[in-house]
């Protein structure tokens, strides 16, 4: 018998990177804890041997992953930054999660799908709301359009996107107040996706 399989049958390689050191005593606080458990049944996960970005990013890129997930990574050094930009333009998918480091970093328009306001928005902060925000209905043009938003998820903090004429087209998910929760943009043959909150439970119950 002959069975013909397309590339969707392949087990993808996904690179994971974070600037936070793993805390063995409190693994639930690790930015990669929930990501690893969500992806491990479906993909081969690649993690660098060093936490230094100048070493970690080249090590991941040498293994030709289909996707790289960065959890709260701030400013990238020049050399690995350009290599990452080239990888995305050649067809890679970069998924970024926010956090204190990203909120404090300068805007990197080559590695973010939208321009961000400096700092983050939080309960009781200068840019604040009075109650944690739930997830709104998913936009019809996004990858989540056929899913029902999780009603028990709330967000306490986020990084805010600067308003732009095409922010609606770039948004795959929003909060109930209309601010983007997941934004995306095509870059060359690849794509950049930003989740505007953390990959762990520091800012949201989403994980």
């Amino acid at each position: 018998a002959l069975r013909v399989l397309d590339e969707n049958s392949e087990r993808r390689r996904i690179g994971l990177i974070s600037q936070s050191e793993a805390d063995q005593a409190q693994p639930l606080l690790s930015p990669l804890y929930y990501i690893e458990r969500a992806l491990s049944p479906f993909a081969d996960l690649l993690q660098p041997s060093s936490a230094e970005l100048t070493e970690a990013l080249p090590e991941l890129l040498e293994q030709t992953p289909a996707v790289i997930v960065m959890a709260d990574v701030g400013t990238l050094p020049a050399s690995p930054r350009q290599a990452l930009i080239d990888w995305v333009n050649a067809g890679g998918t970069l998924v970024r999660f926010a956090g204190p480091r990203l909120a404090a970093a300068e805007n990197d328009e080559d590695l973010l799908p939208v321009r961000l306001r400096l700092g983050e928005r939080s309960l009781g902060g200068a840019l604040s709301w009075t109650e944690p925000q739930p997830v709104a209905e998913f936009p019809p043009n996004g990858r989540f359009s056929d899913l029902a938003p999780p009603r028990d998820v709330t967000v306490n903090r986020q990084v805010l996107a600067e308003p732009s004429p095409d922010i609606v087209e770039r948004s795959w998910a929003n909060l109930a107040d209309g601010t983007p929760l997941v934004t995306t943009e095509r870059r060359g043959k690849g794509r950049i996706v930003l989740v505007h909150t953390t990959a762990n439970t520091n800012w949201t119950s989403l994980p």
Side-chain angles (χ1 to χ4, degrees):
L2 178 65
R3 178 176 294 177
V4 180
L5 304 175
D6 65 10
E7 65 175 6
N8 290 323
S9 302
E10 294 180 7
R11 190 172 169 88
R12 305 292 185 182
R13 282 182 290 184
I14 299 180
L16 305 180
I17 191 167
S18 170
Q19 287 183 279
S20 298
E21 294 289 341
D23 187 344
Q24 301 300 326
Q26 296 180 300
L28 292 176
L29 299 182
S30 166
L32 297 176
Y33 179 86
Y34 295 98
I35 294 173
E36 290 173 359
R37 280 147 188 79
L39 295 176
S40 58
F42 312 105
D44 294 328
L45 303 184
L46 311 172
Q47 295 198 47
S49 56
S50 171
E52 292 294 328
L53 295 177
T54 52
E55 300 175 13
L57 271 172
E59 182 182 335
L60 285 182
L61 293 173
E62 285 177 4
Q63 301 177 70
T64 61
V67 178
I68 290 179
V69 179
M70 298 200 310
D72 190 23
V73 173
T75 303
L76 296 172
S79 177
R81 174 183 174 274
Q82 187 57 52
L84 186 60
I85 292 170
D86 295 341
W87 173 80
V88 171
N89 289 333
T93 298
L94 175 63
V95 179
R96 303 190 66 173
F97 286 82
R101 289 179 181 84
L102 181 62
E106 294 292 327
N107 265 288
D108 188 340
E109 297 183 10
D110 291 316
L111 290 173
L112 289 170
V114 293
R115 185 169 180 81
L116 300 177
R117 295 184 184 180
L118 186 63
E120 80 267 9
R121 174 185 177 192
S122 63
L123 286 171
L127 298 169
S128 65
W129 58 82
T130 56
E131 296 180 356
Q133 288 292 301
V135 180
E137 295 292 330
F138 294 122
N141 61 309
R143 293 293 177 90
F144 311 133
S145 60
D146 58 345
L147 301 176
R151 299 301 179 188
D152 56 341
V153 166
T154 55
V155 176
N156 296 323
R157 290 187 179 187
Q158 67 178 142
V159 290
L160 280 173
E162 291 281 6
S164 66
D166 58 351
I167 191 67
V168 173
E169 288 75 18
R170 297 190 191 190
S171 299
W172 277 355
N174 299 296
L175 297 180
D177 65 357
T179 54
L181 177 61
V182 180
T183 54
T184 183
E185 187 182 31
R186 276 277 183 195
R187 295 292 173 85
K189 296 179 180 178
R191 180 179 291 278
I192 298 176
V193 180
L194 173 64
V195 181
H196 288 239
T197 190
T198 53
N200 60 15
T201 55
N202 285 351
W203 290 9
T204 176
S205 61
L206 179 60

